[in-house]
Amino acid sequence: MPVSGLGAYDPDNVFARILRGEIPCRRVFEDDHVLAFHDIRPLAPVHVLVIPKRPYVSFADFSARAGDAEIAGFTRALGRIAATLGLDEAGYRVLSNMGADAGQEVPHFHVHLFGGAPLGPMLAPG
Ligand code: 5GP
């Protein structure tokens, strides 16, 4: 059973449909465990989404249920993608929204990779 307040995995969420090839994406990287593609509404000059191929609803779900090799593969892919995009020297931001308070919109675990310009404060003062 998935972990987090998001309920059961919805196999028709937009990222599941991208993984099945039903919706196009601008692919950046793919291996056995991971797909990375450009966000459709970029919030920075580089805004890439990195997702596992297996169905996890959120970071909480992924961190609790994914295997060690899957977690290591995901993390290493994320680092390689950032390096390949040329972001290592200037820097970048990695972010995952988990659940309602974070405003998670798509219920398939994903990490946002932002870069290409100074990104400003981490959160708007609230
Ligand atoms: P969240 O708010 O769940 O952390 O982020 C979901 C992200 O998915 C948003 O930045 C949104 O722009 C992106 N997104 C939603 N639908 C699509 C789509 O069909 N294609 C792509 N490439 N990105 C999408």
Side-chain angles (χ1 to χ4, degrees):
M1 187 64 181
V3 175
S4 84
L6 295 167
Y9 184 80
D10 171 10
D12 288 324
N13 78 75
V14 68
F15 293 170
R17 298 187 64 202
I18 285 173
L19 283 166
R20 289 198 297 269
E22 296 168 8
I23 296 176
C25 71
R26 288 174 56 218
R27 190 175 60 182
V28 170
F29 174 87
E30 182 168 12
D31 68 11
D32 287 349
H33 297 296
V34 173
L35 178 67
F37 50 94
H38 291 279
D39 196 291
I40 203 167
R41 293 187 299 269
L43 298 173
V46 176
H47 183 175
V48 165
L49 299 168
V50 184
I51 70 173
K53 288 190 167 176
R54 284 170 50 108
Y56 300 102
V57 297
S58 67
F59 174 75
D61 192 28
F62 180 75
S63 65
R65 294 198 305 116
D68 291 355
E70 200 176 0
I71 292 172
F74 187 89
T75 306
R76 292 199 195 285
L78 186 50
R80 275 203 306 276
I81 292 162
T84 302
L85 291 169
L87 300 177
D88 272 357
E89 188 161 333
Y92 55 89
R93 182 171 294 157
V94 167
L95 178 149
S96 184
N97 292 314
M98 153 52 210
D101 276 1
Q104 183 179 349
E105 176 193 330
V106 178
H108 179 113
F109 169 53
H110 52 282
V111 166
H112 298 257
L113 174 61
F114 298 106
L119 296 168
M122 190 164 58
L123 290 175

